[in-house]
Amino acid sequence: MGAKLTSIRGMEILDSRGNPTVRVFVELTDGTTAVASVPSGASTGENEALELRDGDAHRYAGKGVLKAVANVNEKIAPELVGMTVFQQALIDRKMISLDGTENKSNLGANAILGVSMAVARAAAVSAGIPLYEYLGGSGARRIPVPCMNILNGGEHADNSVDIQEFMAVPLGAPTFREGLRYVAETFHVLKGLLKGKGLATSVGDEGGFAPNVGSNEEAIEIIIQAIEKAGYKPGTDIAIALDSAATSFATDEKGAYNLKWSGAGPMKSDDLIALSERWVSKYPIVLWEDPLAEEDWEGFKNFTRRLGDKIEVVGDDLFVTNTKYIARGIQEGSANSSLIKLNQIGTVSETIEAVRMCRDAGWRYFISHRSGETSDTFLADFAVAMDGGHLKTGSASRSERIAKYNRLLEIEQDLKDSALYYWK
Ligand code: PGA
Ligand code: ZN
């Protein structure tokens, strides 16, 4: 039993890039109200669930989400009102079948996810427990290592760096609070180093710096300098994680790449893997996301064969948080971890299924925000609930990123001595 849904309403709000996104309000019979807002990606995978945009060139260059909002109000709400809020999986199932398509293109994954998240949050409020405990049970007490994206390139910045994200990973810290301090201090030191070299200290979409350094390697080297100058030992206190988002520098020919921004030029999959091996032996890299493009399953397999026992190999665009593709990846040995983004698949319960599949296969999973975000902190609770051990939610700047970090600080404080923090 428990409280039932009495009202579900959507509205159009703006995300951190100033583009429209969906916010959903729900109300329950016991008077509970809850709200959730949907994130939005830029370097999206081909097979992600569809984010429904209006396509009306007179509003937000076609990016309005009034159709998705109308779907929440007129199509989803009448079907769900009266349902018990604790039936998350059933509610999500109902929206999936109401949509009726494989990629949620009918109602829009933005409409469906907004409702799914707001329902989960309302259920937690109604139950009188924190969201991380509602979704993860009373054993949820591991705070994720914050993989902080301190330098941005690729499609998230206008500079000469091909790799999209360079993350600082405070794996040697004793607690989340300390880990966050390690990498926030490194971020500030990095700013000084960039300034000293006459490089830009403006930030990209996820709050990392986006300087015109000459090459990808130069970016890694300056981050290592920043780690040392901040008083930490690279590899021991703070390691490095990368997200190549390699689909963005793949050419039309399968298995072929062009690292054009850094001037490194055309490369085959094998050359890129050989280069990655050199970097992994030279630099303290512990995790590499999307080192190859989403259609290069063969390349992923080779990459994992050669580096999978040394580092976490994460598929983002390759798997799009979809159990269909993760299952293939497990079967073929394409990676040893999946990125997990709620809006790639479009419901909370399907995201949990993706996590479960990774866990059952002995894989890791890496919980992630999107480059377009809101101040919603759902992700922080979700990461603790899923016991993933690490997450990425941007840099030590931009409030939509900091909001998640601050929520994790709160959760760690709530858990007191029972909170856990460790890498692996
Ligand atoms: P996106 O980028 O949110 O723009 O897709 C994040 C990522 O590639 O991990
Ligand atoms: Zn990615």
Side-chain angles (χ1 to χ4, degrees):
M1 282 305 291
K4 292 185 167 61
L5 289 154
T6 53
S7 153
I8 302 171
R9 280 180 302 114
M11 72 176 283
E12 183 184 66
I13 61 161
L14 295 187
D15 71 12
S16 55
R17 276 193 279 251
N19 291 324
T21 190
V22 177
R23 173 169 284 176
V24 174
F25 300 84
V26 302
E27 288 174 24
L28 308 182
T29 43
D30 64 2
T32 297
T33 59
V35 55
S37 305
V38 178
S40 171
S43 64
T44 50
E46 179 71 21
N47 296 313
E48 293 194 20
L50 184 110
E51 183 178 70
L52 189 62
R53 300 262 176 208
D54 297 338
D56 171 0
H58 300 295
R59 294 190 74 253
Y60 293 112
K63 290 184 175 167
V65 292
L66 296 180
K67 283 184 189 162
V69 167
N71 287 343
V72 170
N73 296 340
E74 292 158 24
K75 295 187 177 154
I76 297 175
E79 290 293 321
L80 301 189
V81 164
M83 288 183 80
T84 303
V85 74
F86 298 111
Q87 295 176 310
Q88 183 76 40
L90 200 65
I91 289 168
D92 289 345
R93 274 289 123 213
K94 193 144 190 181
M95 288 192 283
I96 291 164
S97 61
L98 190 63
D99 173 83
T101 67
E102 179 126 358
N103 66 346
K104 302 185 175 66
S105 54
N106 193 354
L107 298 174
N110 41 356
I112 293 173
L113 181 64
V115 174
S116 185
M117 288 163 67
V119 163
R121 184 170 270 142
V125 174
S126 179
I129 54 175
L131 181 59
Y132 68 84
E133 190 180 331
Y134 173 66
L135 291 173
S138 55
R141 60 196 183 102
R142 185 169 166 206
I143 317 295
V145 174
C147 299
M148 184 176 273
N149 178 9
I150 57 177
L151 202 147
N152 297 182
E155 288 193 6
H156 288 177
D158 296 316
N159 61 7
S160 51
V161 181
D162 305 280
I163 291 179
Q164 182 177 279
E165 299 170 20
F166 296 78
M167 291 167 266
V169 183
L171 75 192
T175 60
F176 173 80
R177 174 175 294 275
E178 283 295 276
L180 188 61
R181 181 173 68 80
Y182 285 18
V183 285
E185 287 172 1
T186 302
F187 172 80
H188 295 300
V189 170
L190 178 61
K191 183 173 185 172
L193 287 177
L194 294 172
K195 239 186 186 158
K197 287 177 187 285
L199 292 165
T201 54
S202 51
V203 297
D205 288 355
E206 297 186 352
F209 300 116
N212 253 319
V213 287
S215 68
N216 298 299
E217 275 197 87
E218 217 176 302
I220 298 180
E221 272 157 19
I222 196 163
I223 289 171
I224 290 173
Q225 272 176 44
I227 293 170
E228 284 169 342
K229 196 162 176 223
Y232 299 105
K233 203 160 179 286
T236 308
D237 299 320
I238 302 176
I240 290 174
L242 302 173
D243 178 8
S244 295
T247 308
S248 64
F249 54 81
T251 66
D252 290 343
E253 187 197 336
K254 195 163 152 191
Y257 298 85
N258 188 358
L259 282 76
K260 51 188 180 296
W261 291 308
S262 66
M267 267 185 215
K268 291 284 185 204
S269 205
D270 278 346
D271 305 323
L272 200 52
I273 296 170
L275 180 71
S276 307
E277 274 185 307
R278 284 201 294 282
W279 288 6
V280 168
S281 59
K282 190 166 167 197
Y283 304 117
I285 295 168
V286 290
L287 178 153
W288 203 320
E289 179 186 332
D290 280 357
L292 287 310
E294 64 189 303
E295 60 283 342
D296 193 0
W297 285 82
E298 197 55 35
F300 258 96
K301 202 159 101 183
N302 292 334
F303 187 97
T304 304
R305 197 167 345 105
R306 283 156 71 170
L307 283 165
D309 59 343
K310 294 193 183 76
I311 62 167
E312 179 173 340
V313 183
V314 185
D316 171 12
D317 292 351
L318 187 72
F319 299 138
V320 291
T321 316
N322 188 323
T323 50
K324 181 171 130 189
Y325 301 107
I326 297 172
R328 178 176 169 191
I330 292 166
Q331 179 94 25
E332 297 183 11
S334 316
N336 57 29
S337 177
S338 175
L339 204 73
I340 299 291
K341 288 168 167 167
L342 287 141
N343 79 325
Q344 278 184 329
I345 188 69
T347 63
V348 173
S349 49
E350 287 168 292
T351 312
I352 294 172
E353 280 164 33
V355 165
R356 186 178 302 131
M357 181 175 275
C358 291
R359 205 183 276 149
D360 289 349
W363 276 27
R364 299 187 84 203
Y365 41 97
F366 188 23
I367 312 273
S368 170
H369 65 157
R370 296 309 303 245
S371 52
E373 270 290 339
T374 70
S375 52
D376 193 312
T377 59
F378 191 96
L379 191 78
D381 284 74
F382 187 75
V384 176
M386 293 302 108
D387 195 31
H390 54 318
L391 100 163
K392 61 172 194 174
T393 184
S395 194
S397 75
R398 302 190 62 130
S399 317
E400 76 279 4
R401 316 291 150 184
I402 301 294
K404 279 77 163 171
Y405 289 129
N406 286 344
R407 173 64 188 145
L408 287 166
L409 286 170
E410 272 174 18
I411 296 173
E412 186 174 57
Q413 182 157 296
D414 285 354
L415 289 168
K416 302 195 178 74
D417 288 347
S418 71
L420 299 173
Y421 178 90
Y422 58 89
W423 180 254
K424 286 286 177 204

